[in-house]
Amino acid sequence: MEDILTKFRDYCERPYERAAQIKATRNTKIIGCLPMYFPEEIIHAAGALPVTLFGSDEPITLGDGHMMTNACDQVRSSFDSLLKGKYDFLDGIAAIYICDQVRFYLEVWQLDHPVDFFHQMWRPYKLDSSTQVFFRSELERLISSLEEFTGSKITVEKLQASIRLYNESRAMMRKLNDLRKDRPGIITAADMARIVASSMFIPREEHNELLGQLLTKLEQKEIPAGKKQRIIAVGHPCSMPETEALDLIEENGMVIVNDDFFTGGRYFSKDVAASGDPIDAFIDFYANAIPCTTYHYADIWIKPDKNYSPYADYVISLMKDGQAKGVVVLKEMYCDPYDMEFVLMKNRFEEEGIPYISISSGSLEAIRTRVQAFEETLRFV
Ligand code: SF4
């Protein structure tokens, strides 16, 4: 089993190596997708390989000359990677405007480093019927520009086959998540994040094969009941949490039994319907998305007396489902959508008496002290 986990770790260590290999040996277009929510299935149905761009752990040395230093780390690090030539293997770029920072980033990218295919699309921020007609036209626009770029017709049958492949992937990830709820510690939270993230770097067919092998081994593995405190972890709406921070939490008396990371539960929580009209299926998928900090719940925000957050309620439901005692919020520095939502979430936690801790990136030693103190408070819950 360790050998399979090592492969997933290697993919995260060198995220673009496999895509660059494919580019060198096959006639396959490689399309970089900015996280999050891009319908990768549509790129797959065009015969191209979608690769999610997360930036890197390296210090930012070039990016800050082009981007505001108070942009989030995901955006700055990704632009730094672009300037360092790490994305040179890409044939094109596709991204959804999930927040203002991504929009600015894309504008600078398009001006500074134009690529052959540069597709930006809108996703409704408001989840109601008024946005669905517009979103249909955005999906149709994406399909025609991919067809033109790849020279491959995206038929209904191809789209349904790609949706089925990605649903299979999501179903296996859900199974893995269920295993860690039932047998906490069966897989570390850091490996869980790596497994989900690596699915976005390599061909999905290869990832499904490897994940299927891992699940077979894990299902046979017994884990003695432990005494660690069950918690959930949330945050990083479109980036990968620092695996060192996840390890630190799990080395200090706690075990993460569920999460709401982009490289976690947020990515695999729902399927796209594989039957019927695929465009309808995508509209339904987005319109009925799980609560997210990047959506606008206008009827809630405009009423000053309301202190209600669908996202906070979603997090609380994850916690109850995982029989967890508390929540660790791992924040991406300068992520405006998450910071705004965090105020409402914090209020809800306090109303419900839910223990929580919020951690931003920083020195691991400083984080260790806070994590240890949090674990001690959980002993009295
Ligand atoms: S959602 Fe947050 S972390 Fe993601 S790009 Fe926007 S500001 Fe950055």
Side-chain angles (χ1 to χ4, degrees):
M1 193 175 74
E2 203 49 32
D3 53 327
I4 304 176
L5 288 172
T6 302
K7 283 190 185 165
F8 286 123
R9 289 170 196 150
D10 287 348
Y11 285 131
C12 286
E13 201 65 34
R14 296 181 294 281
Y16 312 123
E17 193 176 271
R18 182 76 187 107
Q21 260 174 14
I22 289 171
K23 162 118 176 152
T25 54
R26 296 187 208 163
N27 185 23
T28 302
K29 301 263 192 233
I30 316 286
I31 310 284
C33 301
L34 288 193
M36 62 187 162
Y37 290 139
F38 202 85
E40 297 160 284
E41 296 92 330
I42 299 180
I43 296 177
H44 182 272
L49 175 66
V51 175
T52 301
L53 308 175
F54 283 118
S56 81
D57 295 338
E58 284 180 18
I60 295 169
T61 52
L62 301 179
D64 286 349
H66 296 244
M67 309 289 297
M68 304 163 294
T69 48
N70 64 348
C72 70
D73 200 50
Q74 158 65 24
V75 158
R76 288 167 58 231
S77 168
S78 204
F79 204 78
D80 194 63
S81 295
L82 171 74
L83 296 175
K84 288 175 178 166
K86 291 178 191 289
Y87 299 157
D88 285 354
F89 65 96
L90 294 176
D91 294 294
I93 284 294
I96 280 184
Y97 294 140
I98 51 159
C99 67
D100 284 347
Q101 299 208 24
V102 162
R103 281 182 59 196
F104 302 147
Y105 172 28
L106 288 168
E107 278 169 20
V108 180
W109 185 331
Q110 199 168 16
L111 287 171
D112 275 15
H113 286 77
V115 284
D116 290 347
F117 177 81
F118 206 104
H119 190 92
Q120 302 165 65
M121 65 184 278
W122 292 93
R123 172 218 62 179
Y125 290 94
K126 276 167 58 184
L127 297 178
D128 63 32
S129 54
S130 66
T131 55
Q132 295 187 7
V133 175
F134 170 70
F135 192 45
R136 171 176 291 278
S137 68
E138 282 296 90
L139 289 165
E140 286 168 349
R141 189 170 65 84
L142 170 65
I143 289 172
S144 8
S145 53
L146 275 168
E147 284 178 336
E148 192 181 328
F149 180 61
T150 59
S152 168
K153 179 88 189 139
I154 302 176
T155 62
V156 168
E157 292 72 26
K158 283 186 190 171
L159 272 174
Q160 287 175 336
S162 298
I163 291 171
R164 274 196 297 277
L165 178 76
Y166 278 73
N167 283 350
E168 195 187 321
S169 164
R170 289 185 275 255
M172 283 196 280
M173 292 177 195
R174 285 196 293 271
K175 198 167 184 182
L176 184 61
N177 204 39
D178 286 345
L179 276 178
R180 74 170 172 165
K181 276 188 266 176
D182 293 345
R183 297 181 231 167
I186 195 162
I187 186 140
T188 66
D191 277 334
M192 183 80 201
R194 288 186 191 105
I195 289 167
V196 180
S198 58
S199 74
M200 307 179 207
F201 304 141
I202 66 171
R204 196 58 60 121
E205 296 83 348
E206 293 176 20
H207 193 271
N208 282 3
E209 171 73 29
L210 208 52
L211 184 49
Q213 289 171 16
L214 179 70
L215 279 170
T216 307
K217 304 234 178 215
L218 283 175
E219 277 166 335
Q220 294 155 6
K221 186 175 167 185
E222 290 302 324
I223 287 280
K227 295 203 173 105
K228 288 186 169 184
Q229 315 282 356
R230 296 169 69 104
I231 57 156
I232 66 160
V234 302
H236 285 269
C238 72
S239 53
M240 186 167 167
E242 286 165 16
T243 49
E244 294 82 2
L246 297 174
D247 285 340
L248 194 146
I249 291 165
E250 294 201 310
E251 285 160 8
N252 281 282
M254 292 174 277
V255 60
I256 297 172
V257 292
N258 206 349
D259 70 63
D260 179 55
F261 297 135
F262 174 56
T263 56
R266 173 153 298 278
Y267 186 71
F268 54 73
S269 64
K270 289 193 71 175
D271 284 340
V272 180
S275 57
D277 174 14
I279 296 189
D280 281 345
F282 281 112
I283 292 172
D284 182 66
F285 176 80
Y286 285 88
N288 295 297
I290 56 175
C292 175
T293 54
T294 64
Y295 284 117
H296 290 307
Y297 302 98
D299 50 336
I300 294 163
W301 283 88
I302 55 176
K303 291 186 184 146
D305 58 328
K306 291 256 182 174
N307 181 22
Y308 168 69
S309 151
Y311 181 69
D313 277 21
Y314 176 66
V315 170
I316 292 169
S317 74
L318 287 184
M319 202 190 120
K320 289 184 176 157
D321 177 56
Q323 296 170 317
K325 282 185 164 183
V327 183
V328 174
V329 184
L330 290 166
K331 289 170 78 181
E332 174 82 53
M333 188 96 92
Y334 301 127
C335 172
D336 304 333
Y338 211 91
D339 283 347
M340 285 167 72
E341 189 71 35
F342 180 69
V343 178
L344 295 177
M345 187 160 70
K346 190 164 84 63
N347 291 346
R348 287 284 291 121
F349 289 163
E350 282 161 11
E351 274 167 19
E352 298 274 336
I354 292 172
Y356 71 93
I357 180 176
S358 132
I359 298 171
S360 296
S361 47
S363 136
L364 279 183
E365 278 320 302
I367 294 173
R368 185 189 307 278
T369 310
R370 299 189 57 223
V371 161
Q372 287 171 338
F374 181 60
E375 190 274 333
E376 280 175 28
T377 64
L378 294 181
R379 294 184 205 172
F380 301 98
V381 174

